[in-house]
């Protein structure tokens, strides 16, 4: 896990306060903020743009977006969508969150990044998170638009040149192989030298156009076990806890803790997570108190049976790490090793 030291200390302090001082059972680690659903791509595996035209035209007001994050108390925010750079006030949302020392990750396909980059200022509290699903041919096929990979690469280089932190997010399907994963992560890690990389097996959105290429649990474990071999897992600057990577390989199993990475969108707080929509509530408190969390997870809800997405299981791994001296030392060692490798 290659989280910067300042952020690592901040998150660790926050977790200690929630668990040990306030004795809270449920609390947010990072908020998935969706200030719009509109996008300039039509990815085959995404169900977010299937909303009616009237909904796709809506943009969340700045005060509402910032207010939701502050209400939750989470130290980190992932701004997604849709394509957040299409929001006319996205820079102001970022500016206000950074001013409050929230760690902000702006998720983007990067098609508008070079055009919009002047609106943003480099900060240790801010990073662009560019979606890269594979090398050129595989990425362009997954987003259904040629040239997207090349534009994303150029946008990453420009952001780096201007002093921004740049991370990536890669989603993998059953059309991927260990080699295709190795190729793209080697490229991001060694050639582009992005700060951190996040990865996830694809989740089967009910409204996604392509329903044939989502990974099952055993497929996921076999895929990542092979991709992580030959020292790749330690060498890559992956923005995941060691226990979550163990989970992807099938070396560990965890219950889902979707309440720790809640989603807030134009409709409100989404239950139970940003991958499933079983209704919305106006406050995070209501989300926590009035959602039957026990009915979700593998073996409980059929929609969860093949899910190994980070939004449900990364926070469980983080909490398990915090509760174990052995795992905490292991995570610290891997963080130091990854940061040294990135220098």
């Amino acid at each position: 896990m290659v989280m910067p030291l300042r952020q690592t200390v901040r998150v660790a302090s926050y977790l200690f306060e929630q668990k040990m001082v306030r004795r809270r059972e449920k609390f947010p680690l990072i908020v998935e903020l969706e200030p719009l659903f509109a996008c300039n791509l039509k990815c085959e595996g995404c169900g977010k743009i299937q909303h009616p035209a009237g909904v796709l035209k809506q943009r969340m007001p700045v005060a509402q977006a910032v207010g939701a994050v502050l209400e939750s108390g989470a130290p980190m925010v992932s701004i997604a969508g849709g394509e957040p750079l299409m929001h006319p006030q996205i820079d102001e949302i970022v500016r206000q969150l950074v001013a409050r020392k929230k760690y902000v990750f702006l998720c983007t396909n990067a098609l508008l990044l070079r055009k919009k980059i002047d609106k943003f200022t480099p900060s240790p509290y801010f990073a662009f998170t560019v979606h890269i699903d594979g090398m050129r041919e595989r990425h362009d096929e997954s987003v259904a638009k040629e040239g997207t990979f090349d534009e994303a690469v150029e946008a990453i280089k420009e952001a780096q040149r201007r002093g921004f932190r740049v991370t990536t997010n890669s989603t993998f399907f059953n059309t991927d192989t260990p080699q295709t994963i190795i190729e793209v992560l080697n490229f991001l890690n060694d050639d582009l030298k992005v700060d951190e990389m996040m990865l996830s097996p694809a989740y089967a959105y009910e409204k996604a156009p392509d329903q044939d290429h989502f990974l099952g649990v055993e497929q996921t474990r076999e895929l990542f076990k092979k991709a992580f071999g030959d020292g790749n897992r330690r060498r890559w600057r992956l923005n995941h806890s060691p226990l979550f990577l163990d989970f992807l390989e099938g070396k560990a199993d965890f219950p889902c803790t979707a309440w720790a990475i809640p989603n807030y969108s134009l409709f409100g707080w989404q239950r139970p997570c940003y991958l499933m929509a079983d209704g919305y509530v106006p406050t995070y408190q209501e989300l926590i108190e009035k959602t039957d969390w026990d009915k979700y997870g593998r073996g409980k809800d059929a929609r969860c049976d093949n899910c190994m997405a980070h939004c449900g299981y990364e926070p469980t791994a983080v909490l398990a790490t915090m509760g174990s001296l052995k795992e905490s030392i292991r995570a610290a060692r891997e963080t130091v090793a990854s940061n040294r490798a990135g220098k």
Side-chain angles (χ1 to χ4, degrees), residues 31-106:
V31 170
E32 294 276 358
L33 178 66
E34 294 180 321
L36 79 172
F37 293 126
C39 189
N40 48 4
L41 288 176
K42 297 180 179 180
C43 302
E44 291 296 312
C46 179
K48 293 293 183 178
I49 64 169
Q50 306 304 316
H51 292 288
V55 173
L56 294 179
K57 292 179 180 179
Q58 295 180 31
R59 305 291 184 263
M60 186 181 294
V62 173
Q64 181 181 346
V66 174
V69 175
L70 296 181
E71 178 221 337
S72 76
M76 299 182 288
V77 188
S78 175
I79 305 179
E83 170 51 54
L85 289 178
M86 293 176 64
H87 193 296
Q89 295 176 293
I90 190 61
D91 56 314
E92 183 62 17
I93 293 175
V94 169
R95 189 193 67 77
Q96 291 197 25
L97 290 172
V98 166
R100 290 165 171 83
K101 296 185 177 181
K102 301 294 183 181
Y103 286 94
V104 180
F105 299 85
L106 194 154

Side-chain angles (χ1 to χ4, degrees), residues 278-302:
D278 284 358
Y280 301 84
V281 292
T283 67
Y284 179 72
Q285 188 77 10
E286 189 172 347
L287 176 72
I288 292 300
E289 295 178 353
K290 296 187 178 181
T291 301
D292 184 0
W293 299 103
D294 290 335
K295 75 177 185 180
Y296 296 105
R298 292 203 306 277
K300 300 178 180 179
D301 188 310

Side-chain angles (χ1 to χ4, degrees), residues 9 23 26 36 86 116 155 210 214 228 254 257 299 312 334:
V9 172
R23 301 290 181 180
K26 294 181 176 65
L36 79 172
M86 293 176 64
K116 302 280 189 176
D210 182 357
F214 294 105
F228 289 160
F254 300 111
T257 50
E334 293 199 14

Side-chain angles (χ1 to χ4, degrees), residues 3 30 89 140 298:
M3 188 183 293
I30 181 170
Q89 295 176 293
D140 287 357
R298 292 203 306 277

Side-chain angles (χ1 to χ4, degrees), residues 122-162:
S123 167
Y125 292 97
F126 176 66
F128 288 112
T129 299
V130 180
H131 204 91
I132 301 286
D133 280 346
M135 297 303 288
R136 181 180 291 108
E137 183 178 349
R138 295 188 69 80
H139 178 79
D140 287 357
E141 181 181 8
S142 72
V143 302
K145 185 173 182 178
E146 290 186 8
T148 303
F149 177 85
D150 290 337
E151 178 57 33
V153 168
E154 291 305 311
I156 288 173
K157 291 178 179 178
E158 177 64 12
Q160 290 173 325
R161 186 185 70 80
R162 293 182 180 227

